[in-house]
């Protein structure tokens, strides 16, 4: 799993999100208990516009692996925003910020504090 994940990060850092998603998905299959593989796959699929797949992957992190780091809620919030539902994203952004994930703050300010 680590080798697939490392290769996925390499592709991701070169903006090759299709190959990154494939590598992260292989990492998920090899180690389904490591939430980072699911988060990374979801992020790559989000960037590719594969929103349904990204949402399925991030839901596994939120509902089953639950790392309590705020990042997974932030990713799901971004998916909601991309779907055109910023109001639906607000509870996720609040959870993300409350969990200490500072990147969520600007999105929360932009979409929720009006």
């Amino acid at each position: 799993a680590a080798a697939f994940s490392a290769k996925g990060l390499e592709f991701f850092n070169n903006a090759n999100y299709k190959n990154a998603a494939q590598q992260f998905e292989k990492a998920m299959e090899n180690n389904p208990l490591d939430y980072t593989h699911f988060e990374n796959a979801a992020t790559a699929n989000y960037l590719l516009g594969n929103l349904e797949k990204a949402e399925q992957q991030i839901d596994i992190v939120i509902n089953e692996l639950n790392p309590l780091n705020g990042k997974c809620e932030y990713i799901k919030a971004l998916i909601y925003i991309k779907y055109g539902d910023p109001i639906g994203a607000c509870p996720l952004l609040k959870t993300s910020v409350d969990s200490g994930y500072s990147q969520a703050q600007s999105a929360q300010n932009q979409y929720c504090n009006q």
Side-chain angles (χ1 to χ4, degrees), residues 108-114:
Q108 185 182 39
N109 292 344
Q110 181 177 353
Y111 294 104
C112 307
N113 295 338
Q114 301 177 11

Side-chain angles (χ1 to χ4, degrees), residues 65-88:
L65 303 172
N66 203 10
L68 301 174
N69 64 2
K71 184 177 179 181
C72 53
E73 291 86 1
Y74 175 67
I75 294 167
K76 183 151 184 177
L78 292 179
I79 294 167
Y80 273 42
I81 291 165
K82 188 78 112 181
Y83 275 142
D85 183 12
I87 282 109

